[in-house]
Amino acid sequence: MIFPRLRNAIAFGGDYNPEQWPESVWQEDVRLMREAGVNLVTVGVFSWARLQPSEKRFEFGWLDRVLDLLAANQIGVCLATATASPPPWLTARYPEVLPVTADGVRLQVGARQNYSPSSRVYRKFASALVTKMARRYARHPALVTWHINNEYACHVPECHGPDSTRAFRAWLKKKYGSLAALNNAWGTAFWSQGYGQWEEIFTPSRAPYHSNPTQCLDFKRFTNDAFLELYDLELAILRRATPDIPVTTNFMGFFKALDYRSWSSRLDYVSWDSYPDPSDESAARRAAAAGHDLMRSLKPDRPFVLMEQAASAVNWRPVNMPKRPGVMRLQSLQAVARGGDGVMFFQWRASRAGAEKYHSGMLQHVAAEDSRVFAEVKALGSELKKLGVVTGSLVRNRVAIAFDWHAWWAVELESKPGRIDYAAWAQQLHAWFYAQNLGVDFVHPSADLSRYELVVAPALYLLNEKDGGNLQSFVERGGTLLATYFSGVVDEMEHAVCGGYPAYLRQALGLWVEEWVPYPEGRSNRFRFGRARADHRCDHWCDLVHLDGAQALAVFTGDYFAGRPAATRHHYGKGAAYYLATRPDAAGLDVLLSQVIKEVRLAPPLRVPAGVEVTVREAADAQFLFLLNHTNEPAKIALGLTRGHDLITGRLLSGTVQLPPCDVQVMRLPLK
Ligand code: GAL
């Protein structure tokens, strides 16, 4: 159970910013929260200026009243530490707190997140504020969980100011110990970059030409660590005051700047913010599913919390479509279906002023009783109450995608043969499994892979010997690996591995790659499987492969390398390793992946019509089968031998059931 104080209820509520409203509105807020079944609200995220209006003055009275009011109404609080946006007095007095971009521009006060992660002054003031909050609210009956800061690095993914430069040097000294080691790792013999003093080193800001790639990669690692230090600083304070209150910070899914995997052990549970674009519903459900899977995989043995989503439209895309009726519910239950124990929103009441006034809220600008969105919120709240029994149950998958933030950072640095969108490629492969209702986790290549049958490694460009060894021994012991083009090209220093790529996977794959042909937009090639009559289109990238034991499943049919392998398979130990040397069209990918899952004998929990999502959550004494109809047509679902009660309607479901458009069924199944 992630929230002992909510007992077995799914967390339901949203960001609550009462400081934006007169106190007379608060009474109405809690009345409507109760009406909607809200049991948790996130308070204080952007309230630093209200809590500390000047350097020496703190004003907690209003927050005391908010928390007391919520407690009196049995509404729990996810208490934010308010450090996400330093108040204007702080940055006016200590401008060194402000972050500096790679171009040397100091980002001014007036929006939010205006601090450098390495600012000593910011750290001092943030610690003082958090210490006061922790002491004051440690025993407050409304306190359910702590919410540290907010979406770290979202707007300021890096800083090049003086504090950052100083901290970067200290980080490098600690990592390398000597300049000789640093010069070696950074390959500074190239272009006369050898460093003789630590003070000669700067963050990789604007330079005349490509900056040193290892320096850039280290800067990304350093920046991740700098943000993590901020989190740790607050965490230590909270732990001292409230060792039993769970702590989180809200992640952002496929967010490049932070290696969330390095954070996950410090969070009591993973929470994240999901904002798929309603203008393309099928892309939205794929994106949300991949996000839930990535986030859940960071702590696979605990449910996660959807900390923020929009009740309808957001305000920050060029065009912001609302969610049409039913979609908010469907997406909320999708989060639960994929392992979520909380369905939260940004925000409770849509703001009247400021940059987010056109962002939907659970309460819109119109009266609650006149609001379509609020009616849907209320309906969802009452349904979630019936789903409390699923809390604590887990999603268990047999397929994993190897996904590594360091590989992501490295492959997208400049000066590469072509452009690879690492996360998009991983999500494209995920989408195939999603469409088949085959559950997927995301793992680090060094992870214990014993629970998986199949591991897919998309463009795992940076791969060290140890992690390559881990993937190879997974195959040796009977697993199936599918690696794709541009994998295993560099080690962790971003130095090319000589002697044929993908260096540390060569044995398992039974091949080596000599060179590659990246294509510009609009250029493509074709490839053909075995004796198939039709061929398939491929684009973006072609690896020129030499077989060394593997068998070609498909070959390119065009360009100067026609006849060379486009997809291969190799027996290795007790397992098999596939290689995909290009980016195929949908049909070509389908041929290959269908063969792979047939060999691995993977099947979805239930065969359903396209557009219906099926997942299973497992508890000690039951299984929960989720069926979500994402289409605009009713779906006929043959349950076969599966029978069980729908937790939402209470009906016993068996035989063939009709699932209306946008509708969801959650069946409790007895354990087999
Ligand atoms: C999130 C943020 C919220 C709000 C929301 C709007 O990124 O945490 O404070 O700005 O976006 O969609």
Side-chain angles (χ1 to χ4, degrees), residues 16-19 42-48 51 62-63 79-82:
Y16 179 38
N17 297 308
E19 67 275 20
T42 305
V43 179
V45 179
F46 294 108
S47 64
W48 192 343
L51 292 172
W62 68 272
L63 187 56
L79 189 53
T81 54

Side-chain angles (χ1 to χ4, degrees), residues 2 56 91 101 105 174 227 265 281 364 409 429 460 513 581 608 642:
I2 44 184
K56 297 271 171 316
T91 47
T101 67
V105 176
K174 192 160 165 229
F227 279 107
S265 66
E281 280 172 18
Q364 302 276 66
W409 294 333
L429 293 167
L460 196 51
V513 174
V608 291
T642 306

